[in-house]
Amino acid sequence: MSKNTGPNKKNLEQTRKLFLKIAKKEFITYGYADSSTNRIVEASGMARGSLYYHFKDKRHLFFAVYTQMLADMDKRIRKKMEDVEDPWQAIKLGCNLFLKECKNQNTRKLLIEGLTAIPYNERLAIHSKTLLKTFEEYLGPSMKNGQFKGQDPLIVTIMIYGMMSELGRSFELVDKPEQYLKQITDILNRTLDKMAA
């Protein structure tokens, strides 16, 4: 007689999602360094072993929260980019949407915490499966249409992504995020068009 794994698998996934939800709030509230797995376990109502069944340690838990945030963001941005026929205009829209997402303080905090909690090569691997991948997919057709002639698509993608990531984190420095968003979006669009010419 075979073991019925359906409900257990469903319970495991629900437990994992619960930990991710609680951990996201913890990391946003306290930052990576001051976050506590004790508080996360206590808020979940689960046993400590349950947390470590799903996530090896605090670092792996943050890695999962960071990855999920980027995957969700990528899904939202990609959906809107798909409605734009011209691939270059889609890339610029994607950049603008990314900056709009970074206006959200919680998103920005996790992106900034990611700089210290996750080594560059691991962050790049996460981004390469989400937003970088989306931008790279649109860059190929853009280059065929005349943008960035003769340039390496990966280098161009990383350069564009690097600019918008730094701009996204820079919201921390301003008092009027809505006004700032308009300014940096205008500047980024003009800069991208000049670079692509």
Side-chain angles (χ1 to χ4, degrees), residues 10-87:
K10 185 177 179 184
N11 289 342
L12 286 172
E13 187 56 33
Q14 287 174 341
T15 301
R16 180 180 165 78
K17 284 180 182 177
L18 176 64
F19 279 128
L20 287 172
K21 182 179 177 183
I22 295 167
K24 182 177 181 181
K25 186 176 179 182
E26 177 79 9
F27 291 129
I28 288 167
T29 303
Y30 297 99
Y32 175 76
D34 294 328
S35 289
S36 163
T37 54
N38 288 337
R39 280 192 299 260
I40 293 168
V41 168
E42 188 177 313
S44 73
M46 304 281 183
R48 173 166 290 285
S50 186
L51 176 68
Y52 293 118
Y53 174 83
H54 291 280
F55 307 100
K56 184 177 175 183
D57 52 25
K58 181 169 91 169
R59 185 180 168 284
H60 284 84
L61 179 57
F62 181 80
F63 188 94
V65 168
Y66 186 85
T67 301
Q68 181 182 24
M69 177 198 66
L70 284 175
D72 292 345
M73 189 188 302
D74 179 51
K75 189 185 287 186
R76 289 189 297 273
I77 291 173
R78 180 184 281 268
K79 186 175 182 185
K80 292 184 179 177
M81 288 174 72
E82 287 170 353
D83 292 336
V84 179
E85 243 180 81
D86 182 305

Side-chain angles (χ1 to χ4, degrees), residues 22-167:
I22 295 167
K24 182 177 181 181
K25 186 176 179 182
E26 177 79 9
F27 291 129
I28 288 167
T29 303
Y30 297 99
Y32 175 76
D34 294 328
S35 289
S36 163
T37 54
N38 288 337
R39 280 192 299 260
I40 293 168
V41 168
E42 188 177 313
S44 73
M46 304 281 183
R48 173 166 290 285
S50 186
L51 176 68
Y52 293 118
Y53 174 83
H54 291 280
F55 307 100
K56 184 177 175 183
D57 52 25
K58 181 169 91 169
R59 185 180 168 284
H60 284 84
L61 179 57
F62 181 80
F63 188 94
V65 168
Y66 186 85
T67 301
Q68 181 182 24
M69 177 198 66
L70 284 175
D72 292 345
M73 189 188 302
D74 179 51
K75 189 185 287 186
R76 289 189 297 273
I77 291 173
R78 180 184 281 268
K79 186 175 182 185
K80 292 184 179 177
M81 288 174 72
E82 287 170 353
D83 292 336
V84 179
E85 243 180 81
D86 182 305
W88 179 239
Q89 295 305 319
I91 288 174
K92 291 196 301 184
L93 173 65
C95 290
N96 297 338
L97 291 170
F98 177 84
L99 292 176
K100 194 172 183 178
E101 294 252 357
C102 290
K103 194 177 68 158
N104 177 305
Q105 188 177 18
N106 293 343
T107 300
R108 201 166 57 248
K109 279 187 175 184
L110 288 176
L111 287 171
I112 291 168
E113 289 299 315
L115 292 173
T116 55
I118 304 173
Y120 176 76
N121 62 330
E122 292 179 28
R123 275 196 332 274
L124 186 58
I126 297 168
H127 289 265
S128 294
K129 293 176 185 170
T130 55
L131 291 161
L132 265 175
K133 181 180 177 186
T134 297
F135 282 96
E136 196 171 7
E137 286 172 10
Y138 279 85
L139 190 60
S142 291
M143 293 177 87
K144 286 181 183 172
N145 290 345
Q147 281 83 24
F148 297 102
K149 285 183 183 171
Q151 301 300 316
D152 182 309
L154 181 60
I155 292 173
V156 173
T157 304
I158 291 172
M159 186 175 62
I160 292 171
Y161 195 70
M163 281 192 311
M164 67 179 201
S165 293
E166 200 57 42
L167 285 169

Side-chain angles (χ1 to χ4, degrees), residues 164-175:
M164 67 179 201
S165 293
E166 200 57 42
L167 285 169
R169 288 188 289 269
S170 70
F171 275 96
E172 288 292 301
L173 308 172
V174 300
D175 296 327

Side-chain angles (χ1 to χ4, degrees), residues 163-189:
M163 281 192 311
M164 67 179 201
S165 293
E166 200 57 42
L167 285 169
R169 288 188 289 269
S170 70
F171 275 96
E172 288 292 301
L173 308 172
V174 300
D175 296 327
K176 298 178 181 175
E178 206 55 57
Q179 183 181 342
Y180 185 67
L181 175 64
K182 184 179 179 345
Q183 289 175 327
I184 61 175
T185 299
D186 290 345
I187 291 168
L188 181 62
N189 286 338

